[in-house]
Amino acid sequence: MAVFPVKKSRTRGQQKAFYLNAYNTLSINMVQTYWPLRSLRSLGTLFDPVWAHDAGSIRGGKVSLRVLENDVLRAVDDPRVPMAINGASMSCPDLRHEPWVEYFPDEQLDDQAVRFLNLTNKGIILNEKDNELRLSSICDGFEAGVESPGGVEAFVRRYRPDLAAALTLVTDIPYDWRVNGGLSGRGLRCLRADLQTGLNRRRSWVQVSFNRLEKSAYGRRAGNQADTFFLGHGVGAVLASGT
């Protein structure tokens, strides 16, 4: 991350994927560096919060988690972003079992929103008796990114179309700042299944890319060099190794 030329990225998707991965990686690294600790917040104070501390280096410059979240990621005005970053706390959205990938970040973000808005007691609490839908307090922070009519409610219903029409939405689920818990047996099985799904998806992308390259002028000129082209870009190397 310290040397990756993110400003020269070819697509907005690549930049978005890079910064999402950067935030989560630096968050994990801070926990590992200062382990054991009860919460990431315990590393800071009211006047000097941990979110403002140097968390790592990007393009040779020191950055904090606050800068990555507020100045970079929230600047894209995508209400799914808060559901994609994890500050190493129990109430944070679950980390995905695959990295954010530049070629389909929107597909991953849609899936992440569905997952988070189905996490009972973390993302959502449905109180049918009082006809009330309680949401995570992180939903307070993405109102500006929801441009569709109906704001946050319309956004939530997009990913939870099963919800009853007459519900009152409240963003007041208490936030649990304790550091993330361990991995259960069920979680381990889900991890393995998700890893396999991600691997299959990347294999599919590589095959599509090979097909496109073969039809291009470069592919016709390069011939057998096509393998070298993709292996040099990393994804093919990982798949070829069977990792």
Side-chain angles (χ1 to χ4, degrees), residues 7-238:
K7 280 193 172 181
K8 296 181 180 179
S9 298
R10 293 166 296 168
T11 66
R12 185 180 181 185
Q14 186 177 37
Q15 292 189 26
K16 185 184 292 186
F18 172 82
Y19 283 116
L20 289 172
N21 287 325
Y23 185 98
N24 292 336
T25 299
L26 293 178
S27 175
I28 292 170
N29 186 61
M30 290 185 77
V31 173
Q32 174 182 290
T33 300
Y34 295 100
W35 187 260
L37 72 166
R38 181 173 176 79
S39 76
L40 203 57
R41 289 207 306 177
S42 67
L43 299 177
T45 66
L46 179 64
F47 300 104
D48 183 28
V50 66
W51 319 116
H53 294 184
D54 287 342
S57 180
I58 292 180
R59 292 183 13 251
K62 294 293 185 180
V63 295
S64 67
L65 294 179
R66 174 179 287 174
V67 166
L68 283 177
E69 179 178 2
N70 295 338
D71 298 348
V72 180
L73 287 168
R74 289 189 184 272
V76 303
D77 285 334
D78 188 331
R80 300 169 298 179
V81 163
M83 302 179 182
I85 56 178
N86 186 296
S89 303
M90 292 293 289
S91 287
C92 289
D94 290 355
L95 283 169
R96 294 182 69 79
H97 297 155
E98 63 178 4
W100 298 95
V101 184
E102 64 166 298
Y103 304 100
F104 36 80
D106 287 316
E107 175 186 331
Q108 290 178 304
L109 284 166
D110 280 339
D111 179 67
Q112 186 75 0
V114 170
R115 293 185 183 214
F116 185 67
L117 292 174
N118 277 279
L119 283 175
T120 303
N121 297 322
K122 178 187 281 194
I124 195 169
I125 297 176
L126 179 58
N127 186 339
E128 295 181 342
K129 180 180 178 181
D130 298 327
N131 212 32
E132 182 180 74
L133 183 67
R134 300 175 63 191
L135 300 171
S136 167
S137 57
I138 71 168
C139 296
D140 277 333
F142 64 67
E143 179 75 55
V146 182
E147 299 178 353
S148 61
V152 172
E153 181 171 357
F155 173 82
V156 170
R157 291 186 182 281
R158 173 184 173 186
Y159 296 102
R160 287 296 306 270
D162 58 303
L163 295 172
L167 285 174
T168 300
L169 270 66
V170 184
T171 54
D172 69 344
I173 297 179
Y175 213 83
D176 185 349
W177 290 102
R178 291 177 301 161
V179 72
N180 301 54
L183 191 64
S184 65
R186 180 178 181 276
L188 182 59
R189 290 192 296 274
C190 290
L191 170 61
R192 288 170 174 162
D194 284 352
L195 286 173
Q196 187 59 53
T197 298
L199 182 61
N200 291 339
R201 179 161 35 185
R202 284 187 282 279
R203 279 184 175 139
S204 175
W205 174 81
V206 169
Q207 185 59 56
V208 170
S209 299
F210 268 123
N211 293 341
R212 289 177 179 171
L213 182 65
E214 288 173 354
K215 295 178 181 178
S216 69
Y218 174 87
R220 288 192 297 272
R221 292 196 308 271
N224 293 333
Q225 293 179 13
D227 289 341
T228 304
F229 176 84
F230 277 97
L231 292 177
H233 282 69
V235 179
V238 172

